[in-house]
Every structure is written in structure tokens, then in C-alpha cells.
């Protein structure tokens, strides 16, 4: 087994961006307060894609314990993005742009990648845990900071007021 299956992450991410692009900013402004412009949306995706491509490239072309952990973290990152889309779709009752590709691609690809790596013995249990922590942190820390900087508790306050009306 080699690490080339990690290429599934940037491919899925590119398809995911295509789903999000036309509708994500207006939706996010309503529920998260960020990104508030298309430029912010593009910049965020460029930064995340750079991380995904660099991490996957390092894992594939320079395989070692920590480059494999970093490469695997991209799958955890994708899965954490799936969790955001799925939970917000369920919470708001409204389609979260990106939920289809996150559900159809991110979730099964992540399970496949982690199962393959575990079965191969290329990484340890510690490596798996470290990759999940890194991937989730890369997704959630900037997301929560961006939301906090926009309007604190925007999602919960606005959604609660919409439900009570």
C-alpha cells in the first residue's frame, strides 16, 4: 500500500468547492456571519487547498511518520467539514451548500483512507489520533475564530429568533 490514495482528498475538495461556490456566502452570512464576501470565501478555500495539497504531497513524495500523519490529517479535516455541513443542515432545517459532496464524498473517502492506512500498518494508533487532532484543529480553529469575529453566537441567536417568529 502506498499513500497515493490521499489524492482522493484534494479531488473531493475541488468537487466540494464547486457545489459550495454559487450559494455558500449568502447562506454563511445568514447563519455564521462569515465569510461575508466572495473574496473571503475564495481566500479561505485557497488557504485550505494549499494545506491539503502540501500535506498530501509531502505524505506521498516524502513518506515518513510525520508526513503521513500530516497527509492523513487532510482526511480528518474533510470529515470535520462534513460534520459542520451535516449538523448545520440538521440544525437549521435548510440546505447547507456543500452538504451533498461532504456527505457523498468526504465521509466515505475518510473512512476508506483511515481503514486502508490502519490495515497497512504504515501508521500507529498514536499517528491516527494525532492526524485526527491536527485535521479537526485546522478546520475548527479558523472557523470558530471567523464566526466569533463576525457576530458572537450569530447562528444560535438568529436561528432561535427565526424559529420563534
Amino acid at each position: 500500500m502506498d499513500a497515493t490514495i490521499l489524492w482522493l482528498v484534494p479531488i473531493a475538495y475541488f468537487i466540494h468547492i464547486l457545489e459550495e461556490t454559487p450559494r455558500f456566502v449568502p447562506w454563511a452570512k445568514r447563519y455564521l456571519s462569515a465569510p461575508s464576501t466572495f473574496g473571503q470565501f475564495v481566500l479561505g478555500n485557497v488557504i485550505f487547498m494549499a494545506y491539503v495539497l502540501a500535506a498530501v504531497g509531502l505524505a506521498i513524495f516524502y513518506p515518513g511518520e510525520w508526513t503521513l500523519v500530516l497527509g492523513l490529517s487532510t482526511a480528518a479535516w474533510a470529515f470535520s467539514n462534513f460534520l459542520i455541513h451535516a449538523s448545520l443542515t440538521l440544525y437549521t432545517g435548510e440546505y447547507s451548500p456543500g452538504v451533498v459532496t461532504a456527505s457523498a464524498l468526504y465521509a466515505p473517502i475518510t473512512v476508506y483512507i483511515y481503514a486502508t492506512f490502519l490495515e497497512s500498518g504504515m501508521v500507529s494508533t498514536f499517528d491516527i489520533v494525532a492526524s485526527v487532532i491536527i485535521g479537526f484543529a485546522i478546520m475548527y480553529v479558523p472557523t470558530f475564530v471567523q464566526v466569533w469575529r463576525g457576530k458572537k453566537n450569530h447562528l444560535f441567536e438568529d436561528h432561535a429568533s427565526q424559529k420563534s417568529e
Side-chain angles (χ1 to χ4, degrees), residues 23-144:
R23 298 173 295 270
F24 188 78
V25 173
W27 179 89
K29 283 168 66 173
R30 244 186 343 274
Y31 293 111
L32 303 173
S33 76
S36 59
T37 68
F38 185 70
Q40 289 173 349
F41 170 79
V42 170
L43 178 62
N45 279 297
V46 166
I47 291 168
F48 281 134
M49 186 60 89
Y51 147 69
V52 168
L53 290 173
V56 167
L58 286 170
I60 291 170
F61 299 115
Y62 303 99
E65 182 180 9
W66 284 103
T67 58
L68 289 173
V69 167
L70 189 59
L72 270 174
S73 76
T74 65
W77 169 83
F79 191 80
S80 67
N81 188 265
F82 154 71
L83 293 175
I84 289 173
H85 283 288
S87 62
L88 289 175
T89 296
L90 292 171
Y91 180 76
T92 65
E94 183 181 339
Y95 163 76
S96 164
V99 73
V100 173
T101 50
S103 301
L105 296 176
Y106 284 175
I109 284 172
T110 299
V111 170
Y112 172 69
I113 287 172
Y114 273 97
T116 302
F117 268 85
L118 277 171
E119 185 178 293
S120 76
M122 288 177 69
V123 292
S124 68
T125 303
F126 174 81
D127 295 336
I128 295 292
V129 171
S131 74
V132 170
I133 291 169
I134 293 166
F136 274 56
I138 289 172
M139 178 86 262
Y140 289 123
V141 170
T143 300
F144 289 137

